[in-house]
Amino acid sequence: MERDYQLDCLLTMPRHELEEFSLRVIGRMVPEDVMEELFTFEQEEVDSEERMQAARFDALLRMTAIALGEVNVAFSESAQAQQNIERMTRLILWHFYAMSFNLEEAISLEQHCTQVETILKQAPRDAFGWIKVLTELLHTYADLSDKSKG
């Protein structure tokens, strides 16, 4: 059986393997020229640390949305297409949670996996839909983090 990237898998799989594989998948989903464009910032975007951070977060969100938007196309012809689409979506969302935004400090992996399974029930099919979902997910994580601190 292939890894499903649900909670049990994420808890038992070595982190370096998750990191390496998620980076390879994202690299496959997002072309090099698009990556360059996303992570090339205008001078006014790097004038201050705060603006640079905001530009970087925006680029990471867009990169993830593009990768997620490509998953359906990339795996639609594979054997067990829906299962593969869900597996790769979970993996990319783990990357978003753990590596891109380092949300492990604010939200437990269990909470993240619960949110992912909810998203998978009505997952967007393109990058624009994913931008909205990822933005809402960040807001949800902020709310969950505030509740756990309060």
Side-chain angles (χ1 to χ4, degrees), residues 73-144:
V73 174
F75 292 95
S76 64
E77 300 295 319
S78 68
Q80 300 155 348
Q82 190 57 40
Q83 179 185 8
N84 287 330
I85 290 166
E86 288 179 4
R87 289 175 55 248
M88 291 303 106
T89 299
R90 285 186 191 105
L91 179 66
I92 294 170
L93 286 169
W94 173 84
H95 182 95
F96 175 80
Y97 160 79
M99 295 182 65
S100 294
F101 286 88
N102 197 25
L103 292 166
E104 292 164 308
E105 295 175 5
I107 303 299
S108 72
L109 184 59
E110 291 83 0
Q111 289 172 308
H112 165 74
C113 289
T114 299
Q115 294 299 314
V116 167
E117 293 309 312
T118 300
I119 290 168
L120 283 174
K121 291 176 185 168
Q122 291 188 311
R125 300 194 60 80
D126 62 22
F128 293 112
W130 277 109
I131 286 174
K132 182 179 185 292
V133 166
L134 293 173
T135 302
E136 289 170 359
L137 185 59
L138 289 175
H139 289 289
T140 299
Y141 286 165
D143 291 344
L144 289 170

Side-chain angles (χ1 to χ4, degrees), residues 5 10 13 15-29 35 63 67 88 90-96 98-100:
Y5 304 107
L10 295 173
M13 191 172 170
R15 179 162 178 121
H16 72 277
E17 286 182 30
L18 282 166
E19 290 176 3
E20 288 172 15
F21 189 53
S22 65
L23 283 170
R24 280 200 324 263
V25 169
I26 289 171
R28 190 173 141 205
M29 299 294 134
M35 282 284 205
M63 174 196 74
M88 291 303 106
R90 285 186 191 105
L91 179 66
I92 294 170
L93 286 169
W94 173 84
H95 182 95
F96 175 80
M99 295 182 65
S100 294

